[in-house]
Amino acid sequence: MSNFWSIYIIAITVINIAGCVALLYFTRKKKPSGQETKTTGHIYDGIEEYDNPLPRWWLWLFYITIIFSVVYLILYPGLGKFQGVLGWSQSNQYAQEVKAADEKYLPLYEKYADMSIKALQNQPEAIKMGQAIFANTCFGCHGADARGSLGFPNLTDDDWLYGGSPEQIKASIMKGRNGVMIAWSSILSAQEIDSVSSYISSKNEQPRAFVKELVAEGEAVYNKNCAACHGQSLKGNQALGAPNLVDSVWLHGASPGLVKDVIRNGRMNHMPAHEDILGPEKVHLVTAYVYSLSQNKDKADN
Ligand code: HEC
Ligand code: HEC
């Protein structure tokens, strides 16, 4: 906050509080003595408005509110850049809470840090802690059930962009991933994009609609431009994160229209690195949880 805005906010706040005090002072009245009742002269539907002083209890509530606001603004941040004499801040409080939680859980984290991801599969408590970390950190992108959505991979199936071994999953989480599929609309003609889509559909293990006459041309386009990343057999390449194009799992949508759109416009997909956000112990536990999702699949489905 610049000095100007700080002073601006302080001025508005102080003027407002002073304004309330002034309003109360100048409108205060003595209770009228005797029986006569003064009216404001306003009459609505035959009902007159009395000009009585404000009720005492109501006035006191007002005074207390004003005193509270002054005390609050001295103790806590609220007046522009002034931090308050207590030095309290949200981020301090958050940092303290995180520190307290880490101190409480650190011995547990350390206990599991020495066990392999495979050994942790038999430690329900560790998997539960991993699940809690997942729910806090990953669900926004991968979904609460880790099944992902368009552009965000499903982590519960056996289909992996970068590999499903404990080491590969951990590397995805620690270092993040960048999936880059370039846009082909300026390199290939519309007809070539149609034909390569048909070729991909013709090779898929699930029946998909395709134009028979285009397949031969599509194969040539594929071998020249796409095989380097997606492989001669279209099964993808985990070193590049290039997806398998013959299975039924589609990262960016299964419909032929969406597949063509990916080829035409490309995709830049980013999984952020979590090494610094979580630290190695928490990554270890969340890896164990993610790994468990595809291991226990048969059991969970029954
Ligand atoms: C900002 C969104 C975002 C967050 C947060 C996020 N991810 Fe991801 N994640 C992605 C995207 C997008 C990809 C796919 C990257 C690509 O296509 O190259 C991905 C890929 C992955 C992969 C590789 C999947 C494969 O098929 O090889 C794993 C494992 C993974 N994420 C786990 C996690 C875990 C665990 C967390 C939480 C600690 C997490 N992600 C948090 C967006 C996110
Ligand atoms: C430089 C390597 C590279 C080349 C060359 C390449 N791709 Fe890709 N492709 C990728 C990567 C990486 C992804 C995944 C992007 C992501 O993570 O979101 C991808 C994604 C795709 C997808 C989406 C798959 C899904 O599951 O949704 C299709 C379809 C596709 N590519 C087709 C092609 C075609 C057709 C060509 C040739 C014209 C081609 N690619 C050339 C790397 C490449």
Side-chain angles (χ1 to χ4, degrees), residues 99-137:
K99 207 171 145 229
D102 278 349
E103 268 163 23
K104 187 169 152 204
Y105 291 117
L106 206 60
L108 270 180
Y109 292 153
E110 276 167 359
K111 173 176 148 204
Y112 293 128
D114 294 336
M115 296 168 84
S116 75
I117 298 293
K118 288 208 167 126
L120 287 180
Q121 301 305 307
N122 301 320
Q123 302 282 332
E125 199 194 355
I127 300 293
K128 242 172 106 184
M129 286 166 78
Q131 184 173 18
I133 297 167
F134 189 91
N136 274 325
T137 321

Side-chain angles (χ1 to χ4, degrees), residues 151 159 161-162 178-182 184 188 193 196-197 200 221-222 224-230 237 240-245 247 249-254 258-260 262-263 266-270:
D159 186 71
L161 292 164
Y162 299 94
N178 286 302
V180 181
M181 160 76 182
I182 57 171
W184 292 91
L188 300 176
I193 290 178
V196 79
S197 307
I200 291 173
V221 173
Y222 181 89
K224 183 162 170 245
N225 301 288
C226 325
C229 292
H230 290 283
N237 180 348
L240 298 167
N244 183 336
L245 300 176
D247 63 6
V249 179
W250 296 93
L251 180 60
H252 295 291
L258 283 172
V259 170
K260 234 182 263 181
V262 174
I263 301 172
R267 288 289 185 278
M268 301 273 260
N269 227 6
H270 176 62

Side-chain angles (χ1 to χ4, degrees), residues 133-134 137-142 151-155 159-164 168-169 172-173 177-180 241 251-252 269-272 274 278 286-287 290:
I133 297 167
F134 189 91
T137 321
C138 327
F139 87 106
C141 291
H142 291 284
F152 300 103
N154 183 339
L155 304 177
D159 186 71
W160 297 93
L161 292 164
Y162 299 94
Q168 286 160 319
I169 295 176
S172 292
I173 301 170
R177 298 287 192 187
N178 286 302
V180 181
L251 180 60
H252 295 291
N269 227 6
H270 176 62
M271 153 83 191
H274 281 77
L278 292 175
V286 81
T287 303
V290 171

